[in-house]
Amino acid sequence: MTTNPELEVNQETTETTATETEELTGASLGYKEQIEAVIATLAENDSAMFQKNENGHLWRFQYGSVEVFVQLTGEKDEDLLTVWSAIMPFPKQKENELMRQLLEMNGSGTFETKFAIINDQVVLLSQRIVDGLSPSEISRAITLVASIADEYDEKLKSQYG
């Protein structure tokens, strides 16, 4: 398996951000507060928004050229942390070419994130149950989705959009 050298730089940045966030938040804060601490370090132009509904907590913020969403369904072990960003509408042409490229990218350089097609949108996402979730894992999931989505959205739109 090959890796993308550009993403290796992002990997180092992600690890630094995760460590800084863990120092800021500590293990004593709840998941909600830890997520808010990470978003505070990444959100641009005071773009962070929060909403609570029957599906849990939902945050939205701007990072570079993408909008990133973070959902926490609750704080029980079986609840989920989901982070995603819509990259582009799924194109009507070159579908197979795009799907092949996304699968190849999933296998070689998206770390714990993955490209998917949801509701006719190409999205990048990360999802995990909260059982044993650490502050550094929260930071890493949010930072990876934000940075990889921002890295590839314009490239994919120019090729397929």
Side-chain angles (χ1 to χ4, degrees):
M1 225 186 275
T2 62
T3 59
N4 184 329
E6 294 174 14
L7 289 178
E8 289 176 16
V9 173
N10 290 342
Q11 167 103 3
E12 292 170 12
T13 303
T14 301
E15 289 171 0
T16 301
T17 303
T19 303
E20 291 169 355
T21 302
E22 195 155 349
E23 289 170 3
L24 283 173
T25 62
S28 63
L29 296 179
Y31 297 125
K32 180 180 176 288
E33 292 81 11
Q34 293 173 30
I35 291 167
E36 288 172 347
V38 174
I39 291 172
T41 65
L42 295 174
E44 297 177 355
N45 303 321
D46 294 323
S47 62
M49 299 176 75
F50 172 78
Q51 164 183 333
K52 183 174 181 183
N53 60 31
E54 66 278 356
N55 296 322
H57 305 283
L58 179 67
W59 294 263
R60 180 179 76 195
F61 67 96
Q62 189 71 34
Y63 183 84
S65 58
V66 296
E67 196 169 48
V68 179
F69 295 86
V70 180
Q71 182 178 32
L72 178 66
T73 61
E75 302 230 0
K76 296 178 186 165
D77 287 350
E78 67 274 6
D79 284 314
L80 293 172
L81 171 67
T82 306
V83 184
W84 74 94
S85 180
I87 304 295
M88 61 183 277
F90 190 71
K92 303 284 186 228
Q93 299 175 350
K94 300 182 186 178
E95 294 174 4
N96 290 338
E97 185 180 326
L98 173 60
M99 286 190 287
R100 180 182 179 97
Q101 182 175 352
L102 295 177
L103 283 171
E104 288 173 351
M105 290 166 44
N106 280 348
S108 68
T110 57
F111 305 106
E112 296 86 44
T113 69
K114 60 188 170 200
F115 284 99
I117 301 165
I118 301 174
N119 296 327
D120 288 325
Q121 293 282 319
V122 175
V123 299
L124 183 72
L125 68 106
S126 177
Q127 186 174 58
R128 143 188 222 307
I129 63 170
V130 299
D131 183 27
L133 187 63
S134 71
S136 62
E137 289 173 299
I138 292 170
S139 178
R140 182 170 172 83
I142 296 170
T143 304
L144 280 174
V145 169
S147 60
I148 294 172
D150 185 49
E151 169 99 20
Y152 285 105
D153 68 321
E154 292 171 2
K155 292 175 185 177
L156 290 171
K157 286 176 189 174
S158 70
Q159 279 183 278
Y160 302 103

